[in-house]
């Protein structure tokens, strides 16, 4: 008998579900309370594994399967003295009597388990559409180690696979497309939305789509899976899309999204939020203060809108698990009171931003907070700038461009979101902006950041600074900035690029005056006309607007992102007319 068994006042903490949220809650609870009885239930066979690493194991970048297992049951048992029960599925919660019903999925045995504190971390499940043929063999989802083993086994046992169809161009879909391509398998990527990675703005998503097609991925956006067509052995022969197109394929991987496993909470009358996740407070308590919810099943406060929503990412899940574990372990069953940790309010869950990144062959796309299309659906006065700059100084070898879009409140300058795409150090820039957003930073704060500068790493005027410069110039009425899709028919487009640039591609009906000739040709312009000034990336057109406004041509707007962004907007809106 151990010391915990001798402690009559020991609290029993039951945690339903492992992985990021549940395992973090369990280990944190033990570090806070050495005497608590901590029981961790996991319906599958692996209690803590790296979800985000699964595609890379399938593709061979991670070669050892063991690397995926973050914390094995033996570690949790021996180091943390946690009662780990894999293949044990909670089937019901009795709030009145503070107990749950559990089924051993291997033996079929059921039993009741009492608790003082209960933490729900059952996660989410892949969405599987109810379409004809969905039960056909070789249709897979990817959510856990068991899914990974099935897919890996299929690929290993069938080395002559010719084609795989990936449905859904979110994070999992894009990662799997890259990994399957690396296995020399032809891939078709299908996305019901009109763009890949729908979280991005269309002009950024088109960069990823171009990268996919340049790597021989067949990308079909604006189309969905209608039927899966089996052969005589009930194996996939082909798929038919909503458009009527039929694709011969050997396997289908569904990456449509996830739905929260909220049934336990629903059956126990624990309130569910508008987005399907369990409602919690900042301590991650549900309406029942003895029950917590964390991870993909819970809703979080989303900072840019101050509304609650599900954010199925590992970072928030880990933080929420740590918070719930802290408070659950501070409970004293003897007097039904809770020990309050020092500065307890500082432990509460901070609003989340959805900061994330994905690699698509040579490109990295990263984002935090609201995209411009999302921000335009809020009731805030929205502004945005797009800038392009090298990830380190151009004179140092290996410099590659990053394109960054900053979204902010046009009244206050509060940063609401950012997205960036490039080959190198993209995540670093988004992490900087996300940190500033966490501290309620504005675009004015961006320009004062003291960031690393050395030729191999950055520039004295980093792209983060440049985004701040562009945004503050707009807020300070130094320049009017518009996005390419805000150019109206009443505006005259003024192209200030060089003659050679203008000859290579041009906007119909645009007026061309190179920047270096602008002062000498300003008499060709009409002060009564509104001009949309455009260059390659937005810098020269900014200089042009400053010349014009100080010389009597005041109705001018700088087209953010320049011709590069305009072309991307055009291509995203009308792919068949991508070339000017």
């Amino acid at each position: 008998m151990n010391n915990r068994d001798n402690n009559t006042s020991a609290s029993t903490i039951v945690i339903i579900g492992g992985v990021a949220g549940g395992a973090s809650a369990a280990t944190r609870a033990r570090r806070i309370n050495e005497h608590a009885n901590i029981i961790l239930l996991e319906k599958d066979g692996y209690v803590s594994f790296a979800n985000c690493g699964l595609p890379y194991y399938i593709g061979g970048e991670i070669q050892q399967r063991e690397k995926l297992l973050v914390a094995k049951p033996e570690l949790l048992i021996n180091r943390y003295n946690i009662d780990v029960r894999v293949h044990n599925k909670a089937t019901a919660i009795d709030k009145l009597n503070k107990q749950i019903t559990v089924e051993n999925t291997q033996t079929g045995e059921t039993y009741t388990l009492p608790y003082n504190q209960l933490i729900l971390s059952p996660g989410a499940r892949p969405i599987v559409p109810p379409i004809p043929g969905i039960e056909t063999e070789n249709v897979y989802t990817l959510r856990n180690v068991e899914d990974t083993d099935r897919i890996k086994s299929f690929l290993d046992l069938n080395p002559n696979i010719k084609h795989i169809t990936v449905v859904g161009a979110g994070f999992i879909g894009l990662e799997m497309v890259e990994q399957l391509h690396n296995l020399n398998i032809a891939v078709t990527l299908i996305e019901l939305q009109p763009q890949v990675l729908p979280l991005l703005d269309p002009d950024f998503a088109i960069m990823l789509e171009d990268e996919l097609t340049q790597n021989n991925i067949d990308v079909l956006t604006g189309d969905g899976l209608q039927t899966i067509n089996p052969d005589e052995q009930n194996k996939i022969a082909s798929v038919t899309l909503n458009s009527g197109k039929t694709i011969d394929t050997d396997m289908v991987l569904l990456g449509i999204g996830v739905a929260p496993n909220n049934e336990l909470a629903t059956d126990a009358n624990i309130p569910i939020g508008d987005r399907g996740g369990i409602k919690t407070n900042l301590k991650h308590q549900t309406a029942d203060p003895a029950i917590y919810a964390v991870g993909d099943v819970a809703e979080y406060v989303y900072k840019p809108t101050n509304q609650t929503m599900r954010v199925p990412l590992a970072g928030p899940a880990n933080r929420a698990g740590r918070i719930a574990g802290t408070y659950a372990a501070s409970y004293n069953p003897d007097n039904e009171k809770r020990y309050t940790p020092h500065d307890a309010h500082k432990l509460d869950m901070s609003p989340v931003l959805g900061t994330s990144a994905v690699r698509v062959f040579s490109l990295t796309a990263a984002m935090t907070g609201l995209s411009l299309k999302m921000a335009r659906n809020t009731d805030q006065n929205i502004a945005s700038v797009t800038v392009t700059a090298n990830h380190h100084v151009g004179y140092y070898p290996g410099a590659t461009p990053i394109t960054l879009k900053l979204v902010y409140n046009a009244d206050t300058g509060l940063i609401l979101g950012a997205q960036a795409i490039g080959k190198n150090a993209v995540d670093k820039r988004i992490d900087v902006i996300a940190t500033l957003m966490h501290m309620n930073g504005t675009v004015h704060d961006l320009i004062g950041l003291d960031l690393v500068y050395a030729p191999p790493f950055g520039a004295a005027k980093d792209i983060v600074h440049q985004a701040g410069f562009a945004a503050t110039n707009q807020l300070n009425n130094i320049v009017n900035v518009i996005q390419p899709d805000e150019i109206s028919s009443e505006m005259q487009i003024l192209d200030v690029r060089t003659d050679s640039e203008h000859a290579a591609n041009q906007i119909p009906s645009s007026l061309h005056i190179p920047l270096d000739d602008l002062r000498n040709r300003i008499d060709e312009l009409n002060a009564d006309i509104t001009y949309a000034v455009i260059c390659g990336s937005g810098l020269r057109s900014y200089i042009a607007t400053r010349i014009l406004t100080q010389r009597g041509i005041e109705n001018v707007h700088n087209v953010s992102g320049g011709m590069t962004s305009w072309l991307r907007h055009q291509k995203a809106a009308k792919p068949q007319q991508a070339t000017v």
Side-chain angles (χ1 to χ4, degrees), residues 58 138-140 151 154-155 158 160-167 173 176-177 179-181 183-190 217-218 236 239 247-254:
I58 292 172
N138 307 338
V139 177
Y140 297 96
I151 295 170
F154 173 76
L155 296 175
N158 297 274
N160 296 321
I161 290 175
K162 295 181 179 179
H163 184 275
I164 291 177
T165 300
V166 176
V167 183
M176 281 302 301
V177 162
Q179 295 303 307
L180 293 171
H181 176 273
L183 296 175
N184 297 315
I185 300 171
V187 181
T188 295
L189 176 62
I190 301 168
I217 303 300
D218 185 20
I236 292 176
V239 296
I247 302 171
D248 294 335
T249 194
D250 301 300
M251 171 183 147
V252 169
L253 178 70
L254 300 174

Side-chain angles (χ1 to χ4, degrees), residues 177-217:
V177 162
E178 181 191 62
Q179 295 303 307
L180 293 171
H181 176 273
N182 292 344
L183 296 175
N184 297 315
I185 300 171
V187 181
T188 295
L189 176 62
I190 301 168
E191 171 56 53
L192 187 60
Q193 299 300 316
Q195 65 176 72
V196 301
L197 199 56
L199 289 174
L200 287 178
D201 284 323
D203 56 315
F204 273 56
I206 200 67
M207 289 187 262
L208 297 184
E209 185 172 333
D210 287 345
E211 180 74 5
L212 290 163
T213 56
Q214 288 168 14
N215 283 275
N216 299 314
I217 303 300

Side-chain angles (χ1 to χ4, degrees), residues 19-20 46-51 54 68-71 143-146:
V19 198
Y46 300 90
V47 70
S48 181
F49 60 90
N51 298 71
L54 302 180
L68 298 175
L69 308 180
V70 177
R143 184 65 181 172
N144 55 30
V145 177
E146 288 85 353

Side-chain angles (χ1 to χ4, degrees), residues 303-307 370 372-383 408-412 416:
K303 188 175 182 67
T305 62
N306 204 34
Q307 296 176 341
L370 293 172
L372 180 56
K373 65 181 178 182
M374 293 168 61
R376 284 172 170 172
N377 289 325
T378 69
D379 59 2
Q380 301 185 60
N381 184 12
I382 300 299
Y408 52 97
N409 185 299
D411 297 322
T412 64
L416 301 174

Side-chain angles (χ1 to χ4, degrees), residues 203-246:
D203 56 315
F204 273 56
I206 200 67
M207 289 187 262
L208 297 184
E209 185 172 333
D210 287 345
E211 180 74 5
L212 290 163
T213 56
Q214 288 168 14
N215 283 275
N216 299 314
I217 303 300
D218 185 20
V219 181
L220 302 176
T221 56
D223 210 346
L225 190 63
Q226 186 177 84
T227 62
I228 295 174
N229 310 310
D231 61 16
E232 296 80 5
Q233 287 79 40
N234 197 39
K235 295 181 179 180
I236 292 176
S238 64
V239 296
T240 301
L241 308 185
N242 294 340
S243 62
K245 182 173 183 174
T246 296

Side-chain angles (χ1 to χ4, degrees), residues 12 24 27 42 62 66 72 119 132 141 163 166 171 283 317 326 345 353 358 363 392 402 434 495 519 527 542 561:
T12 296
S24 295
T27 53
E42 173 54 54
I62 298 174
E66 291 293 303
K72 296 180 181 179
I119 300 175
T141 58
H163 184 275
V166 176
F171 294 111
K283 295 176 175 58
T326 299
H345 68 281
L353 295 168
V358 63
L363 293 181
H392 60 55
I402 296 173
D495 187 342
R519 289 184 178 90
Y542 162 60

Side-chain angles (χ1 to χ4, degrees), residues 7-12 116 330-338:
N7 190 336
T8 58
S9 64
S11 172
T12 296
N116 296 111
S330 302
Y331 171 77
N332 185 341
D334 281 351
N335 56 17
E336 292 292 324
K337 291 183 179 179
R338 194 176 304 274

